[in-house]
Amino acid sequence: MFTSDIREQEILDYFKAILGVERVLTDRESLQQAGSDHTEDLVFLPEIVLQAQTTEEVSRILAYCNEHRLVITPRGAGTGLSGGCLPVQGSIVLDMRRMNQILEIDSENFQVTVEPGVITEVLQNAVQEHGLFYPVDPASKGSCFIGGNVAENSGGARALKYGVVKDYVLNLEIVLPDGSVMWTGANTLKNATGYNLTQLIVGSEGTLAVITKIVLKLLPQPTKDLLILVPFYSAEEACRAVNKVFLAGYDPSALEFMERDAILAAQKFIDDYSIPVPEEIQAHLLIEVNGNEETYLMQEIEGIVQVLEQFNTGEVLFADNQNDKDKLWRLRRVTGEAAKGSSVYKEEDTVVPRAKLPQLLAKVKALGKEYGFDSICYGHAGDGNLHVNIVKNNMPEDAWHNELPKAIRELFLYTKSLGGTLSGEHGIGYVQKQYMDIAFSAVALELMRQIKKVFDPNDILNPGKILPG
Ligand code: MLT
Ligand code: ZN
């Protein structure tokens, strides 16, 4: 229900006057679609979905919502995994899909200016045509929006070598909850001018402002890459091997971990069993090196294989043509969806200093035994970022709802004790906020509450996210 006392018809009339009838949606299907994302099986139905097309429209929408105390939740493609875009208080969803223009590719300065509704892979392909590279590649790059990536500070496989979204955002046009429009920084590679508002907005999950334009830094496009898949007889050993690659001086562009059940689920999901997974193999590392010098890359990959062969590995698979590379990456990219496909699930996005990864995996499995849950683990091992998909399978309802949160709390406490934190790249959103007291002191949380208040004194913009209580 609307939080305001003005009549629903009045609200609809106002928005229709700004956007036109066809961009003010109240039909069941649109509301349902705007009420969920990729987070568990959660659904919160809004009353209205608005599809803005310009910054000016966003500004007028927010100013109206602020004046009438109407809650509004911005939304990208809805591929988020922590419920950042879920309209948990109902009311209005601001759907950004129509703000989908690539406004300028500045090849001289290696920059691109985009609207938030551009699909990440579309952006990557567009800059690639200019020999430029936007390296941040979340698994959902084919459907997620760049605006959502900025809001959640997304990562992906190549974050290992190239960093995450925050490392590419130079400047943002944002609309504040009162409707003011402003830029956060400058289109420069360096900027030591005042508080870093750009980075405050990155990862703020649509709780402080709505992003309407994004200026990203680009790199030269690397021309060559090599990819291998290395099987291990022990999953913990695979995790132990990860750090040795870096200690030996190598710099892979991706180093991904998939435990046995993860790769099996992915194979089943896409019905492609062409990669052999022998009985005794418990995990795989998928490793990519990239650059421009084939001979150098060959030496690098051979060096990495030598490091890994000090462990108990199976036969290494070299993907020596584009088709095999695509096949392996596809397998890795569908893993998340595949792991979640067969059962109700909860996904944790734990991240620790890389050398602590084996301990983290061991703890996940020990907690699983203690509390009786199954988990499918995979993720960005080179970053120390382990995705833990806890699948319900036959776990009794009572244990799932009442015991599992205790196990997750224990897992996060342990993660923190290793020097890690709650989320590497999926954000806190709605489902992880109850654990924020583990990551931050009461003083830090209060500071965040005050920041939220400064931006959004009436708490109209995506309330009920990030901050507990
Ligand atoms: C991935 O690495 O596959 C993504 O973060 C998606 C996921 O974990 O579901
Ligand atoms: Zn991931």
Side-chain angles (χ1 to χ4, degrees):
M1 289 299 284
F2 285 118
T3 44
S4 169
D5 54 6
I6 58 167
R7 286 183 307 116
E8 179 162 349
Q9 194 53 47
E10 219 173 289
I11 298 170
L12 285 170
D13 288 347
Y14 180 79
F15 290 132
K16 283 176 185 168
I18 302 179
L19 305 176
V21 188
E22 73 287 354
R23 291 194 279 125
V24 179
L25 308 170
T26 52
D27 61 287
R28 187 85 198 156
E29 198 185 328
S30 304
L31 299 181
Q32 212 123 35
Q33 209 217 4
S36 65
D37 63 359
H38 286 192
T39 312
E40 303 170 24
D41 51 357
L42 301 173
V43 185
F44 297 87
L45 287 187
E47 318 276 326
I48 307 179
V49 179
L50 303 177
Q51 294 187 337
Q53 215 158 283
T54 65
T55 302
E56 169 67 23
E57 287 174 357
V58 174
S59 166
R60 290 181 69 187
I61 291 167
L62 290 191
Y64 183 84
C65 287
N66 197 42
E67 187 188 338
H68 297 286
R69 307 293 189 264
L70 296 169
V71 161
I72 181 159
T73 303
R75 174 186 180 87
T79 55
L81 293 159
S82 59
C85 72
L86 293 176
V88 293
Q89 296 186 12
S91 197
I92 300 167
V93 163
L94 179 58
D95 179 334
M96 304 303 283
R97 75 178 69 192
R98 288 183 188 242
M99 293 187 71
N100 61 358
Q101 298 303 304
I102 297 176
L103 299 172
E104 188 192 359
I105 298 175
D106 179 356
S107 320
E108 286 257 297
N109 290 300
F110 285 57
Q111 291 180 14
V112 61
T113 305
V114 283
E115 292 186 321
V118 175
I119 291 176
T120 305
E121 194 171 24
V122 170
L123 166 68
Q124 287 177 322
N125 292 342
V127 301
Q128 190 175 351
E129 281 179 26
H130 296 252
L132 299 169
F133 183 40
Y134 174 66
V136 187
D137 62 339
S140 57
K141 68 177 183 174
S143 53
C144 62
F145 292 171
I146 188 69
N149 294 176
V150 176
E152 297 295 327
N153 192 16
S154 309
R158 296 195 178 91
L160 172 61
K161 181 168 175 179
Y162 293 103
V164 296
V165 168
K166 76 173 168 54
D167 301 303
Y168 293 86
V169 181
L170 300 177
N171 202 359
L172 294 169
E173 182 191 74
I174 58 171
V175 183
L176 299 178
D178 70 359
S180 318
V181 180
M182 57 168 277
W183 283 92
T184 56
N187 298 5
T188 53
L189 293 176
K190 296 167 89 177
N191 188 342
T193 319
Y195 293 130
N196 196 336
L197 296 177
T198 308
Q199 293 298 338
L200 181 58
I201 298 301
V202 175
S204 65
E205 308 196 57
T207 62
L208 302 181
V210 175
I211 299 164
T212 44
K213 287 191 186 74
I214 303 157
V215 183
L216 296 165
K217 169 176 105 168
L218 301 171
L219 301 175
Q221 179 75 41
T223 52
K224 302 207 164 46
D225 56 76
L226 298 174
L227 186 65
I228 55 171
L229 184 72
V230 187
F232 284 78
Y233 290 93
S234 146
E236 265 184 74
E237 198 163 303
C239 287
R240 265 206 306 281
V242 169
N243 205 37
K244 297 288 183 262
V245 172
F246 299 91
L247 291 176
Y250 296 106
D251 179 29
S253 44
L255 203 168
E256 300 282 298
F257 168 81
M258 279 175 284
E259 71 169 337
R260 181 181 180 83
D261 285 350
I263 203 162
L264 292 182
Q267 287 189 319
K268 188 165 171 214
F269 191 72
I270 54 173
D271 195 23
D272 178 352
Y273 299 91
S274 52
I275 311 288
V277 184
E279 250 331 281
E280 326 78 67
I281 292 303
Q282 294 307 319
H284 286 83
L285 295 181
L286 179 67
I287 306 175
E288 182 194 75
V289 292
N290 73 354
N292 297 308
E293 259 301 327
E294 186 102 43
T295 342
Y296 174 76
L297 293 182
M298 212 52 213
Q299 279 168 8
E300 201 174 17
I301 210 85
E302 279 165 6
I304 290 173
V305 169
Q306 264 174 26
V307 171
L308 298 179
E309 280 175 349
Q310 293 163 22
F311 295 85
N312 199 5
T313 56
E315 196 180 332
V316 176
L317 180 82
F318 275 83
D320 52 13
N321 59 60
Q322 197 53 48
N323 191 32
D324 286 355
K325 287 178 196 170
D326 291 346
K327 216 190 250 182
L328 282 176
W329 274 124
R330 177 151 187 247
L331 210 53
R332 169 59 190 90
R333 288 211 168 90
V334 301
T335 301
E337 235 181 304
K340 297 169 184 111
S342 57
S343 162
V344 173
Y345 65 90
K346 281 184 190 295
E347 180 170 12
E348 312 311 328
D349 180 32
T350 44
V351 59
V352 290
R354 186 166 52 217
K356 303 284 173 56
L357 196 60
Q359 285 142 274
L360 178 60
L361 181 73
K363 184 69 175 183
V364 171
K365 297 302 170 185
L367 284 170
K369 280 208 179 92
E370 188 186 334
Y371 284 87
F373 66 78
D374 295 329
S375 64
I376 302 181
C377 296
Y378 57 94
H380 317 292
D383 291 327
N385 187 189
L386 188 71
H387 299 321
V388 182
N389 266 272
I390 300 173
V391 283
K392 185 165 180 289
N393 289 342
N394 299 322
M395 199 174 184
E397 287 297 321
D398 177 51
W400 180 257
H401 293 292
N402 301 320
E403 293 306 308
L404 188 60
K406 293 181 200 161
I408 295 173
R409 180 159 277 275
E410 245 188 84
L411 173 62
F412 283 146
L413 282 166
Y414 184 72
T415 304
K416 175 85 189 307
S417 77
L418 296 178
T421 193
L422 313 183
S423 172
E425 58 174 26
H426 295 168
I428 296 302
Y430 179 65
V431 293
Q432 306 297 21
K433 63 177 185 168
Q434 58 183 308
Y435 305 108
M436 278 287 271
D437 63 299
I438 295 171
F440 292 102
S441 68
V443 174
L445 287 174
E446 184 51 29
L447 185 62
M448 288 191 205
R449 278 193 194 97
Q450 295 301 325
I451 291 170
K452 166 73 173 161
K453 249 193 199 131
V454 168
F455 276 79
D456 183 18
N458 299 319
D459 204 20
I460 59 144
L461 191 59
N462 202 7
K465 304 291 169 63
I466 303 180
L467 296 163

